[in-house]
Amino acid sequence: MKNEKVILIGAGLCGLYTAFLLQKKGIEVLLLEANTRIGGRIKTITGTTGVTMEMGATWFGNQHSHILEVLRALEIPYFKQHTQGISLFETMSFVPPQKFEISDSEEPSFRIVGGTATLIKKLISEIGIKNIKTNTKITLIKEENHHLIVTDSVGNSYSADKVISTIPPNLLVNSVIFEPNLPENFTQLAKKTHTWMGESIKFAVEYKTPFWKEKKYSGTLFSQASIIQEMYDHSTADNFGFALKGFLNGGTSVLSLEQRKEKVIAQLTALFGLEAKDYIAYVENVWREEPLTFQPYEQLVLAHQNNGHSLYKRPFQNGKLYISGAETATQNPGYMDGAIAAAKTIALEF
Ligand SMILES: Cc1cc2nc3c(=O)[nH]c(=O)nc-3n(C[C@H](O)[C@H](O)[C@H](O)COP(=O)(O)OP(=O)(O)OC[C@H]3O[C@@H](n4cnc5c(N)ncnc54)[C@H](O)[C@@H]3O)c2cc1C
C-alpha cells in the first residue's frame, strides 16, 4: 500500500475511473471538478416519461474492450441500439429521402441500460461522494518542494504528492497556469489536440409513443440536406420511454434554441408525419458553448488530431504531474473506451 495523496482534476469518466483504480491500490484520492455536475462529457437527461436522453456519450461496440470489461465488472447491463425497420438518407432537400435497411449482421452498437450516467453514478458510489469536490475550477498548478499545490479560481489551495489532470489537453493549456511552465513543445501539441465531439450539437425529442416504429421506420436518419445530420431511435431498453436523438448541423449554433427546435420538428414532421409535432420535450446541448469542455483552436485541428500522442505518456513537474483524459489514450482515444484505457495506463504508474 502506498502512502500517497493524489489529486485528480476533472470528474468525467477518466477522472472517476482513475480514482476508482487508485483507491483499490490504497491510495488516497481527491477529485476536483469545476462543474456543479459530475460526469463531464457524459450527460444524461431524464424526461418526464422516464426516458433517458444522452446529450453526450452514448454508444460503444465490441471493439471497445476496456469499457465492456468495466461494465461487466461493475455489473452494469447494456443493450443493442435499435436499428430495425426503414432507415432514411436525405441527400438533397428537394428530393425524397432514400430508404434502406440495416442488416442484422452489421456490427452492433450498445447503450447502457438506464443511460450512460448509470456508469457515472456507480463510480461515484464506489469512490465515495466525500472524495469529490465540485464547483472547484483549477487555475494554477505549482511545484513546491516535494509537492504540487493546486489552486482554484477563488484562491483555495490543495496539496498533493501527485496530480493527474483529465481536462481535455487544448482546454488545459489554455485555462491552467503551470509553475514552472510546461515545456513549449507540449503546450503546442496540446493546443493542436482535438477534443472529441467538442464542436457538436446533440438534441433529443421525447414522445408519448414510438410513432415512427409503428410506421415501420427504425428512427435512423442520415441527412446532408437539413438541420438533423444523424439520428437514431432513443427508446429505453424495456421500451417504456420513447425519444429520437442525434446530432444537428454544427453551423446552427448561431441560431437560438427555439429556431433549432422549430427546424428539427419541421424535419421530423416531413419525414414521419404530423405525430412528430406532438412531442413532450425538446432538449439539446451545444457543446462548443461548454467552457469546461471546448476551447476554440488557434488553427484548424482535424478530428482526433494528436490524440494518443507519445508526449502524453511522460509526467511533468519532476514526475509529479500526469496529463490524462480520453484524448491521451493510445487505444480508441476520444471515446469512453479511451477514457478507461487512459485511466488504466496512469494507474499502472502508481
Ligand atoms: C456530444 C458527444 C457525444 C459523444 N458520443 C460518444 C459515444 O457515443 N461513444 C463514446 O465512446 N464517446 C462519446 N463521446 C466522448 C466521451 O464523452 C468522452 O470520451 C469521455 O466522456 C471523456 O471523458 P474524460 O473524463 O476524459 O473527459 P471529460 O468528460 O471531458 O471530463 C473532463 C472534466 O474536467 C472538468 N474540468 C474542465 N476544466 C476544469 C478545471 N479547470 N478544473 C476542474 N475541472 C475541470 C470538466 O468539467 C469535466 O468534468 C461523446 C462526447 C460528446 C461531447
Side-chain angles (χ1 to χ4, degrees), residues 9-15 32-35 37 39-42 55-60 64 136-139 166-168 171 175-176 196-198 200 202 247 287 292-293 325-327 334-337 339:
I9 306 176
L13 181 58
C14 186
L32 301 176
E33 166 57 52
N35 214 331
R37 179 180 68 77
R41 278 174 278 167
I42 293 175
M55 295 293 101
T58 310
W59 299 281
F60 46 94
H64 293 152
T136 306
K137 184 173 186 234
I138 300 311
T139 52
T166 65
I167 303 172
L171 177 62
S175 57
V176 177
W196 183 236
M197 290 285 169
S200 68
K202 262 261 176 108
F247 297 89
W287 284 93
L292 297 173
T293 298
E327 277 67 26
Y335 297 94
M336 291 188 283
D337 197 63

Side-chain angles (χ1 to χ4, degrees), residues 45 47 51-55 201-207 228 231-232 234 242-248 261 264-265 268 279-285:
I45 294 180
V51 70
T52 50
M53 296 171 280
E54 304 301 345
M55 295 293 101
I201 309 177
K202 262 261 176 108
F203 81 98
V205 191
E206 181 184 10
Y207 286 103
I228 304 172
M231 184 180 78
Y232 303 90
H234 208 54
F242 310 104
L244 289 166
K245 188 211 71 171
F247 297 89
L248 301 184
K261 177 166 88 175
V264 165
I265 301 302
L268 294 178
Y279 61 91
I280 297 171
Y282 169 87
V283 289
E284 62 167 36
N285 208 92

Side-chain angles (χ1 to χ4, degrees), residues 81 104 109 114 150 153 170 192 195-196 224-225 236 239 242 255 260 279 302 305 346 350:
Q81 168 67 45
D104 265 355
S109 288
V150 169
S153 54
N170 179 42
K192 293 184 203 107
T195 304
W196 183 236
Q224 299 168 344
T236 53
N239 236 9
F242 310 104
L255 303 180
R260 282 189 293 268
Y279 61 91
L302 303 174
Q305 189 170 324
I346 294 282
F350 289 79

